[in-house]
Amino acid sequence: MSRRRGGDGGYNEVPLPITPMLDMAFQLLAFFIMTYNPADLEGQLDLGLPQEAEKAAHKQEDVNPKSGTDVGKDLDPPSDLTITVRAIQSGDYSGNISSVFVRNITGVETPIKAVRVVRKKPDKAKELSGADQDEMDLLDGLDAHLKEAKATVSNKEALKVQCQGKLKVKNVLRIMDVCRKNGFNKISFLPPEDFAR
Amino acid sequence: MSHGGGDSWGVAEPNLTPLLDLVLQLLMFFIMCVNFVAEQVSRDVTLSYSDSAQPLEKSETTRLFLNLKFLKNDDTTRRWLRKVCRDKDGRIDQGKLDQFMDNQGMLRQEVAVLVAGVDIADYPMTMLRTRSWLTKNYRDTEAKLRAVDPNAEVNTVVHIRPDGDLEYKFYYEMMNACKVSGYKKLKLHAYIGGGGSK
């Protein structure tokens, strides 16, 4: 509390009205608590610019991560691997992943086999449906394939992804997550097979 | 209040300082949270989840948000379109609404694009219109910058916020439109976490 010097040299106490301030603070607090609606934390992923279909396959001599220093080349990095993702076209699970293929630099396309990984704790509270489990198994298969393939590719950072037009964006993000988990951080997208230019 | 000793009532003086500290700290927390929510983004879009998404960078000077809303063929979407396609006086703007829906309520588009981060009318645009708008916006920005410095480059970062249920073809189309317009930096938005399973 502040004090004021009195006439006789002593100090008189000046009362500080704290009640209105407390009232206001509690009202504000109540307002914010009632209107507080925490949204999920939003994040971002860097994207390479989309590419033309004919750029999907590169020659061996193009694959050199140190070859380009200018911005354009950095945004459009050469890559050894191209992941092709097919989608379920109709029904309740339309837009889910149906099959995944990985094409290497020589043009050999490998179909990804589903791998069942037993997890100690389920990733989400509710039980996975059959289709969701199949999708998860395919993603685990892709994860295993990329781990293996990474040892043989010269560019260990960049790869291309080509999805069917019907595939949902949430599934594109799952594919991106698997790629990034394996160190492929420069992901560029190819047009869907049915894309009209 | 505590009872004083003897015959008189003693004056109880509760120590208000810790209480005030707590209240003000809570107040500060909520005020700050409100500021985070006040981004120029649309809440009409339901983002998907990603384990590899990084927290948003605050350092970017020029940003453009493209919110891609998937238009489901249901009554909620129709109500939403009627809500957003309005003129300044709050009346339904039939011209805007007709771009997305006919008189029978049949949807004409599968995607609505809401642009934020620039001075633009806050109603949804079709993909086609967005494409021409992006080209114009890029040229205008470049012209403004080059009027000051002839070698200046447009450094706008385009943030794409797609609905999780949006189809890849629309998402690719929008990325391609950005590239064709001249933008060089693209970012994709998602909620952080979810174990890739949401």
Side-chain angles (χ1 to χ4, degrees), chain A residues 45-52 55 71-77 159-161 185-191, chain B residues 138 156-158 160 168 171-172 174-187:
Chain A
L45 296 105
D46 289 331
L47 287 178
L49 290 174
Q51 302 191 1
E52 301 297 325
K55 287 188 182 172
V71 176
K73 282 191 177 174
D74 190 44
L75 289 167
D76 185 9
L159 58 68
K160 292 181 174 63
V161 176
N185 291 316
K186 291 179 181 172
I187 301 165
S188 48
F189 290 96
L190 296 171
Chain B
Y138 184 87
T156 306
V157 182
V158 181
I160 301 176
Y168 173 73
Y171 166 63
Y172 180 85
M174 191 42 63
M175 282 198 298
N176 203 43
C178 292
K179 182 188 177 185
V180 170
S181 302
Y183 294 101
K184 294 177 191 71
K185 290 176 192 168
L186 304 182
K187 290 196 172 170

Side-chain angles (χ1 to χ4, degrees), chain A residues 164-196:
Chain A
Q164 270 193 324
K166 202 86 178 162
L167 193 76
K168 286 180 178 171
V169 165
K170 62 181 173 190
N171 295 319
V172 177
L173 273 158
R174 286 174 172 183
I175 296 283
M176 286 177 78
D177 278 347
V178 175
C179 298
R180 284 172 166 255
K181 191 177 151 195
N182 287 287
F184 293 98
N185 291 316
K186 291 179 181 172
I187 301 165
S188 48
F189 290 96
L190 296 171
E193 289 155 4
D194 48 351
F195 184 66

Side-chain angles (χ1 to χ4, degrees), chain A residues 52-118:
Chain A
E52 301 297 325
E54 53 272 22
K55 287 188 182 172
H58 282 275
K59 292 175 190 168
Q60 184 68 46
E61 54 266 30
D62 291 339
V63 183
N64 180 3
K66 292 176 184 171
S67 64
T69 51
D70 60 304
V71 176
K73 282 191 177 174
D74 190 44
L75 289 167
D76 185 9
S79 59
D80 288 16
L81 301 174
T82 303
I83 299 175
T84 309
V85 189
R86 305 252 155 82
I88 298 172
Q89 297 294 312
S90 58
D92 289 346
Y93 295 103
S94 170
N96 276 18
I97 300 169
S98 67
S99 57
V100 182
F101 299 86
V102 177
R103 191 166 65 241
N104 67 13
I105 199 159
T106 57
V108 176
E109 199 166 63
T110 313
I112 296 298
K113 287 177 190 158
V115 173
R116 177 66 56 94
V117 176
V118 181

